[in-house]
Amino acid sequence: MEEDGEGEAPGPAPVAATYDRIAEHFASTREYPWPEVAAFLGRDTADRLDDDALHALGDGAAPSIGAGVDAAKRANRAAVGLDLGCGNGRHAEVLADVTARVVGIDVSGGLIATASERADERGFADSLTLLEGDAGSVPLRDDSVDVAVYVATLHHLRSRERRVASLSELARVLAPGGRALVGVWSTAHDRFDADSGFDTTVAWTLPGGESVPRFYHIYDPSEFAADLDASNLRTVERTVSSGNCYAVVEPEAGIDAA
């Protein structure tokens, strides 16, 4: 599952049921990768971004996020990619450009179905494995992933304990030297008038006007840093881009002590 929508409403259902309910409409609005993800994966996105994404870049500047796949691995494609919270597969598609194998995981079976359709239509189904699963208990072996994208999903987990545990799950599946990009909604966005992190609901409006509330934890940047530090990940770099918090991370053993 990913992000966006308009309005606010109380009483969100469990996240899987929520995204199953809106999956088809949600997926139809998610065509292009976020520029921050494309930058992390070292891809040229000039012809792949929608107007909102181009606006986020501002004056054509590239996001300040380091590459997640090194040149050697990109050259021979000898890497396994993970899109955790894959939604309709728009980021799995970019991962398929730079890795030999991609695993897409989402808690919503409805969104998994849309990702499968996209992969068939776009010609990357042969390199993609889709799994229905929880980001708090990733159904992969230890040290099995070289590069991962975990964006617009962590903020849907309802407790700090679950969010930190999920980050540690990401650390568990990353191979030594592997890297991931983690991204969450943030108080830095001008849609929010807050300095500290908070829980809220953000509604998705279906055709016909039905409003479907979704749970979000909106992070403040220091809280995001604290949750990363509390997990088994080490932060390579952090940034705020387009009002969202991002971090390039590695497993704890992946960075030598200074």
Side-chain angles (χ1 to χ4, degrees):
M1 54 273 179
E2 298 177 291
E3 62 195 76
D4 224 341
E6 298 297 333
E8 294 188 0
V15 66
T18 297
Y19 276 89
D20 283 347
R21 176 74 186 87
I22 69 173
E24 185 175 350
H25 182 239
F26 180 86
S28 72
T29 69
R30 293 299 179 272
E31 175 64 19
Y32 298 99
W34 279 104
E36 293 84 1
V37 172
F40 172 69
L41 295 175
R43 307 306 294 165
D44 181 2
T45 62
D47 59 350
R48 305 181 72 169
L49 303 180
D50 58 16
D51 289 342
D52 288 343
L54 287 170
H55 177 71
L57 282 170
D59 299 324
S64 178
I65 295 174
V69 184
D70 66 37
K73 284 181 178 176
R74 189 178 298 112
N76 62 25
R77 295 170 57 85
V80 175
L82 169 64
D83 186 359
L84 186 54
C86 66
N88 73 337
R90 60 175 171 165
H91 294 135
E93 183 176 359
V94 187
L95 274 162
D97 288 343
V98 297
T99 61
R101 192 75 194 159
V102 180
V103 179
I105 298 175
D106 204 285
V107 74
S108 166
L111 285 177
I112 288 288
T114 69
S116 179
E117 292 172 6
R118 184 184 182 109
D120 286 337
E121 292 170 358
R122 305 295 183 91
F124 65 101
D126 288 347
S127 63
L128 177 65
T129 299
L130 291 167
L131 301 173
E132 188 173 338
D134 191 331
S137 182
V138 180
L140 296 176
R141 299 188 310 273
D142 295 1
D143 304 334
S144 59
V145 172
D146 296 295
V147 59
V149 173
Y150 186 21
V151 298
T153 296
L154 179 66
H155 52 217
H156 288 305
L157 304 183
R158 292 179 183 251
S159 70
R160 181 178 189 248
E161 180 180 21
R162 286 203 70 210
R163 293 190 290 271
V164 172
S166 178
L167 292 168
S168 290
E169 274 289 275
L170 177 61
R172 178 184 65 78
V173 301
L174 281 172
R179 285 191 172 183
L181 178 68
V182 182
V184 295
W185 273 22
S186 168
T187 56
H189 199 289
D190 58 13
R191 74 184 290 166
F192 301 118
D193 183 18
D195 296 321
S196 299
F198 63 98
D199 294 343
T200 189
T201 55
V202 179
W204 186 267
T205 303
L206 290 166
E210 180 185 356
S211 181
V212 181
R214 302 167 296 157
F215 173 84
Y216 277 76
H217 179 76
I218 309 302
Y219 271 95
D220 69 70
S222 62
E223 177 192 23
F224 181 53
D227 279 10
L228 291 168
D229 288 345
S231 76
N232 293 333
L233 292 166
R234 294 287 301 273
T235 300
V236 179
E237 61 178 299
R238 285 188 295 110
T239 190
V240 174
S241 178
S242 309
N244 298 330
C245 287
Y246 292 94
V248 176
V249 296
E250 293 182 343
E252 279 190 326
I255 300 177
D256 294 331

